[in-house]
Amino acid sequence: MRSGVIAQKVGMTRVFTDAGEHVPVTVLKVDSCQVVAHRTKDKNGYTALQLGVGKAKVKNVSAAERGRFAVAKVEPKRKLAEFRVTDDAVIPVGAEITADHFIPGQFVDVTGTTTGKGFAGGMKRWNFSGLRASHGVSISHRAIGSTGGRQDPGKTFKNKKMAGHLGVERVTTQNLRVVQTDPERGLILIEGAVPGVAGGWIYVRDAVKRKLPAEVPMPGKFRGPANDAAPAEAAAPAPEENA
């Protein structure tokens, strides 16, 4: 199981295939997504990578957090998230994961916070049909109707679908196809809509319900520190010349 990435939603556009068909895509930008820390089974009970993205103002970072970033030799990050990985997919601390971590054609799961819509009625929030347009209904055409029983039980049960706050929820959309990647600009184009507003943070990981293509890089595509680079062998001393 590989690590995911933290991306920022840019917006939606469309791309054209060789056959002339247009595909609606959501553009995600991966910029300075670095590994900040490791979580190990010996110390934490599980294996994971802590990633950071975005540049945070130093005044908004606590002294303890600044110390953690200093140990990792990484600038303070604005957003942090953990991704569970297997032992063979650990990326070194300080490495920056690039957009070609995913390949075109593979499927991914994306997680984001939905757009806030404030207080919404039952028709908008729960897709209720509303009351009748005539036959005695006056003014209350968008009302939700009855919310409880008669004398027995004589109350409205908890969790009844009613008007209320809509949006600002953590939502995961599964099995979205990666259409294109642009490593130079750090862009990932994903087919379809992605939850969240433009500028919001999106978590992208390999789809759990689809088989991972054999062409994907393992443990991932990144630049920076190499994985356990072997120390260079000491050069043999040059023979001394006889005077």
Side-chain angles (χ1 to χ4, degrees):
M1 184 168 60
R2 304 190 311 155
S3 171
V5 300
I6 310 173
Q8 195 167 24
K9 184 176 178 179
V10 178
M12 290 198 69
T13 184
R14 63 177 178 172
V15 295
F16 290 89
T17 63
D18 296 336
E21 299 175 347
H22 79 90
V23 180
V25 296
T26 301
V27 182
L28 304 180
K29 185 175 180 59
V30 180
D31 186 19
S32 300
C33 183
Q34 290 183 278
V35 180
V36 176
H38 289 165
R39 298 290 182 261
T40 60
K41 290 184 179 179
D42 296 337
K43 185 176 181 180
N44 308 103
Y46 63 98
T47 304
L49 300 180
Q50 186 183 61
L51 305 184
V53 68
K55 188 175 182 181
K57 293 182 179 179
V58 179
K59 68 175 184 178
N60 295 335
V61 182
S62 65
E65 288 294 318
R66 289 199 299 267
R68 293 179 63 248
F69 287 117
V71 171
K73 297 181 180 179
V74 174
E75 291 185 353
K77 297 296 182 179
R78 183 179 174 187
K79 186 71 175 180
L80 296 174
E82 284 189 9
F83 292 91
R84 294 285 185 102
V85 298
T86 52
D87 294 335
D88 59 346
V90 175
I91 299 176
V93 174
E96 179 181 346
I97 302 179
T98 56
D100 50 353
H101 182 74
F102 304 102
I103 63 173
Q106 83 164 102
F107 290 87
V108 294
D109 296 339
V110 296
T111 302
T113 302
T114 58
T115 305
K117 301 180 183 297
F119 191 95
M123 293 181 69
K124 182 175 182 179
R125 192 183 187 199
W126 301 111
N127 199 29
F128 286 172
S129 61
L131 302 185
R132 301 177 73 175
S134 60
H135 295 284
V137 177
S138 176
I139 304 176
S140 305
H141 302 290
R142 296 185 64 86
I144 64 174
S146 176
T147 60
R150 292 183 285 182
Q151 182 174 355
D152 184 19
K155 67 175 182 178
T156 300
F157 285 102
K158 189 176 181 180
N159 296 326
K160 170 66 179 177
K161 293 180 180 179
M162 303 177 71
H165 184 267
L166 176 61
V168 197
E169 295 179 339
R170 183 183 173 97
V171 172
T172 298
T173 304
Q174 295 182 320
N175 301 329
L176 296 181
R177 184 171 62 91
V178 177
V179 178
Q180 291 180 11
T181 60
D182 189 344
E184 295 182 358
R185 295 189 292 176
L187 300 180
I188 303 175
L189 275 60
I190 297 179
E191 182 177 2
V194 169
V197 298
W201 300 109
I202 306 294
Y203 308 119
V204 187
R205 56 176 62 87
D206 297 330
V208 296
K209 295 182 179 179
R210 296 289 188 123
K211 185 177 181 181
L212 191 66
E215 297 81 12
V216 296
M218 288 294 293
K221 196 72 173 182
F222 58 91
R223 54 173 174 260
N227 272 322
D228 299 329
E233 297 182 0
E240 298 180 358
E241 296 181 358
N242 294 327

